[in-house]
Amino acid sequence: MTPAEAGVLIDDKLHERDIISLIPYWASKGIIRIEEVETTKMLGLLKDIDYKFIQLKPLESNVPSYEQKLFDGLFYYRQEVLLSSLQLSFYRTMGAVKELLSQKVKANKHYEGKGIEAGRAMIILGFAVIFFSIMMVTISVDIYLLSFFSMETGLSSLLLGTGMVVVGFQMPKKSVLGVEIYQKLAGYRMFMQTVELPRLEQLIKEDPHYFDKSLPYAMVFGMTDNWSDKFEKLNVPPPTWYHSNVNGLSYSQFTRRFSDASKTMGSTFTSAPSKSGSSGGSSSSGGGFGGGGGGSW
């Protein structure tokens, strides 16, 4: 299972981080390489970092359609691309990838009924009831003579709306197959949380690229900081697929710099022009390389 699909199944939500996890996933397979590119601004007074994605070999022919769509969006008729060149345009590809990933999740039969989309209408209606209840409470304070707009009615509606939202978030129901795979993913996430260093050291001896291969899954589990700290204590060299301007890049430096790269990917991949034509962007949801949930990258 790709980290993108694992990210959806682990929390029943499709985050941008689930899609972006495919970048280190490909890198760990020797398909792409990432290079830092130093740029200048303000007539050379300021320096910034751009990122170059370099295709080393094509994807295999049997990859899921969403994975192929993202790859083609990056490397269509070219071997390398600068991240900055995708600003305000790549959001179309991201939208198509999200749709294809959602279709793949449905096709996997990991959910019953409408899958992860189940409960969306309930959530929307619940928020509408909450908004209406707040309005009623406000009106009951200002126009207390109208018995319909009572404080009790408003509070009751508020509780009803909150309950609808909670139920809506709980509605996606996994199938028997989905539960089985979820248990394996949850077990792997727990392993990342609790594994002792001697066991991890043994795994690295068996496979020196174990960190590279596990990193994308740590990203979608929101476990990257904790996972990276364990490898840093073992003095594991940073992945060779990430090339930095820093000579002799240490593991801790790689963690910080790739975290910055992931943040930039998130904002660039989802950036879209505003209606007025000026530049604008949409923040990515769910987090990415850094930390846990929320908006952290």
Side-chain angles (χ1 to χ4, degrees), residues 155-188:
L155 292 177
S156 299
S157 299
L158 180 62
L159 290 175
L160 174 62
T162 302
M164 293 173 68
V165 171
V166 172
V167 171
F169 277 113
Q170 298 297 323
M171 281 185 70
K173 184 178 180 181
K174 293 181 176 67
S175 64
V176 174
L177 176 61
V179 171
E180 180 182 345
I181 298 177
Y182 169 79
Q183 289 173 343
K184 294 179 179 179
L185 292 174
Y188 189 38

XYZ file of all heavy atoms in Angstrom, residues 155-188:
253
model
N -30.035 26.954 22.912
C -29.053 26.025 23.477
C -29.339 24.594 23.052
O -28.421 23.805 22.791
C -29.052 26.150 25.006
C -28.525 27.476 25.568
C -28.650 27.494 27.089
C -27.070 27.706 25.157
N -30.618 24.241 22.965
C -30.981 22.898 22.522
C -30.520 22.662 21.078
O -30.001 21.598 20.732
C -32.488 22.684 22.635
O -32.912 22.808 23.970
N -30.739 23.663 20.246
C -30.308 23.553 18.854
C -28.785 23.472 18.752
O -28.247 22.761 17.897
C -30.818 24.751 18.048
O -32.226 24.800 18.063
N -28.106 24.195 19.628
C -26.644 24.149 19.630
C -26.151 22.748 19.957
O -25.227 22.229 19.315
C -26.101 25.155 20.646
C -24.567 25.224 20.777
C -23.943 25.665 19.465
C -24.180 26.196 21.899
N -26.761 22.116 20.948
C -26.397 20.748 21.300
C -26.712 19.779 20.154
O -25.941 18.861 19.865
C -27.144 20.326 22.564
C -26.708 21.010 23.864
C -27.626 20.584 25.016
C -25.261 20.676 24.197
N -27.857 20.000 19.505
C -28.241 19.147 18.380
C -27.232 19.267 17.240
O -26.782 18.263 16.681
C -29.636 19.537 17.887
C -30.124 18.820 16.610
C -30.218 17.325 16.852
C -31.459 19.392 16.147
N -26.879 20.493 16.911
C -25.921 20.707 15.824
C -24.565 20.106 16.136
O -23.914 19.498 15.267
N -24.114 20.272 17.392
C -22.823 19.699 17.792
C -22.856 18.180 17.682
O -21.903 17.551 17.198
C -22.491 20.104 19.237
O -22.469 21.535 19.332
C -21.135 19.555 19.651
N -23.967 17.591 18.101
C -24.109 16.144 17.992
C -24.084 15.675 16.555
O -23.486 14.643 16.228
N -24.709 16.429 15.653
C -24.718 16.071 14.233
C -23.305 16.104 13.645
O -22.929 15.247 12.845
C -25.646 17.010 13.465
C -27.117 16.860 13.834
S -28.174 18.109 13.065
C -28.053 17.615 11.341
N -22.532 17.105 14.047
C -21.153 17.206 13.553
C -20.322 16.027 14.047
O -19.567 15.410 13.283
C -20.523 18.538 13.998
C -19.026 18.560 13.671
C -21.218 19.715 13.317
N -20.463 15.702 15.330
C -19.703 14.577 15.898
C -20.072 13.280 15.197
O -19.208 12.492 14.807
C -19.961 14.461 17.416
C -19.340 13.181 17.962
C -19.388 15.677 18.144
N -21.366 13.053 15.006
C -21.816 11.831 14.324
C -21.322 11.813 12.882
O -20.915 10.779 12.360
C -23.355 11.727 14.373
C -23.840 10.590 13.473
C -23.818 11.502 15.797
N -21.345 12.977 12.233
C -20.896 13.052 10.847
C -19.447 12.640 10.690
O -19.078 11.953 9.732
N -18.608 13.070 11.642
C -17.194 12.697 11.577
C -16.986 11.212 11.856
O -15.996 10.627 11.431
C -16.373 13.538 12.570
C -15.983 14.880 12.028
C -16.514 16.038 12.577
C -15.082 14.994 10.979
C -16.156 17.285 12.082
C -14.717 16.236 10.483
C -15.256 17.380 11.030
N -17.898 10.609 12.563
C -17.773 9.191 12.905
C -18.435 8.267 11.887
O -18.297 7.045 11.986
C -18.385 8.937 14.293
C -17.700 9.683 15.429
C -16.245 9.266 15.606
O -15.906 8.104 15.442
N -15.398 10.227 15.927
N -19.119 8.825 10.917
C -19.912 8.008 10.013
C -19.116 7.111 9.057
O -19.575 6.024 8.719
C -20.880 8.885 9.216
C -22.122 9.285 9.986
S -23.295 10.186 8.978
C -23.888 8.924 7.873
N -17.939 7.548 8.529
C -17.219 6.633 7.643
C -16.981 5.291 8.330
O -16.342 5.218 9.369
C -15.904 7.378 7.384
C -16.219 8.811 7.594
C -17.230 8.826 8.700
N -17.504 4.238 7.731
C -17.422 2.906 8.332
C -16.556 2.001 7.473
O -16.830 1.818 6.293
C -18.821 2.309 8.494
C -18.836 0.953 9.201
C -20.254 0.438 9.368
C -20.261 -0.921 10.066
N -21.639 -1.458 10.209
N -15.536 1.437 8.082
C -14.637 0.559 7.348
C -15.282 -0.811 7.140
O -16.041 -1.294 7.977
C -13.314 0.397 8.104
C -12.471 1.663 8.188
C -11.169 1.396 8.929
C -10.271 2.625 8.929
N -10.842 3.719 9.721
N -14.944 -1.417 6.028
C -15.372 -2.785 5.768
C -14.507 -3.746 6.585
O -13.559 -3.333 7.262
C -15.229 -3.086 4.276
O -13.860 -3.024 3.889
N -14.818 -5.043 6.500
C -14.007 -6.037 7.203
C -12.568 -5.981 6.709
O -11.614 -6.017 7.499
C -14.597 -7.452 6.996
C -13.676 -8.504 7.608
C -15.988 -7.538 7.609
N -12.391 -5.858 5.389
C -11.041 -5.738 4.824
C -10.367 -4.454 5.291
O -9.181 -4.451 5.642
C -11.110 -5.763 3.300
C -9.789 -5.546 2.543
C -8.785 -6.650 2.889
C -10.026 -5.485 1.042
N -11.133 -3.347 5.324
C -10.585 -2.070 5.772
C -10.133 -2.117 7.217
O -9.075 -1.571 7.566
N -10.915 -2.766 8.070
C -10.548 -2.897 9.483
C -9.265 -3.715 9.627
O -8.381 -3.386 10.425
C -11.692 -3.549 10.285
C -11.235 -3.898 11.700
C -12.889 -2.619 10.335
N -9.148 -4.769 8.838
C -7.970 -5.627 8.912
C -6.704 -4.851 8.528
O -5.684 -4.930 9.221
C -8.150 -6.826 7.979
C -6.968 -7.784 7.973
C -7.162 -8.937 7.007
O -8.301 -9.158 6.566
O -6.169 -9.614 6.685
N -6.793 -4.088 7.441
C -5.630 -3.316 7.011
C -5.354 -2.171 7.972
O -4.200 -1.855 8.275
C -5.839 -2.795 5.580
C -5.988 -3.972 4.611
C -4.677 -1.905 5.146
C -6.268 -3.569 3.183
N -6.431 -1.537 8.481
C -6.247 -0.461 9.457
C -5.496 -0.964 10.688
O -4.625 -0.271 11.223
C -7.602 0.112 9.874
C -7.509 1.030 11.069
C -7.074 2.347 10.921
C -7.819 0.576 12.350
C -6.955 3.186 12.025
C -7.715 1.403 13.448
C -7.278 2.707 13.287
O -7.156 3.531 14.375
N -5.831 -2.156 11.157
C -5.159 -2.710 12.330
C -3.657 -2.885 12.077
O -2.836 -2.646 12.963
C -5.799 -4.037 12.707
C -7.193 -3.899 13.303
C -7.888 -5.229 13.525
O -7.491 -6.252 12.976
N -8.943 -5.232 14.336
N -3.307 -3.274 10.862
C -1.888 -3.411 10.532
C -1.192 -2.052 10.497
O -0.072 -1.900 10.990
C -1.735 -4.115 9.184
C -2.209 -5.563 9.186
C -2.041 -6.199 7.814
C -2.507 -7.653 7.835
N -2.365 -8.298 6.496
N -1.872 -1.066 9.914
C -1.299 0.283 9.863
C -1.172 0.877 11.265
O -0.162 1.507 11.598
C -2.172 1.186 8.984
C -2.195 0.865 7.488
C -3.225 1.744 6.780
C -0.823 1.055 6.865
N -2.212 0.690 12.084
C -2.167 1.197 13.457
C -1.061 0.504 14.248
O -0.401 1.120 15.089
C -3.519 0.996 14.138
N -0.855 -0.781 13.959
C 0.234 -1.500 14.615
C 1.592 -0.950 14.211
O 2.497 -0.834 15.044
N 1.731 -0.612 12.944
C 3.004 -0.042 12.475
C 3.219 1.341 13.083
O 4.343 1.702 13.456
C 2.998 0.040 10.956
C 4.336 0.419 10.351
C 5.534 -0.064 10.874
C 4.414 1.272 9.260
C 6.759 0.283 10.330
C 5.620 1.620 8.695
C 6.790 1.118 9.240
O 8.006 1.469 8.702
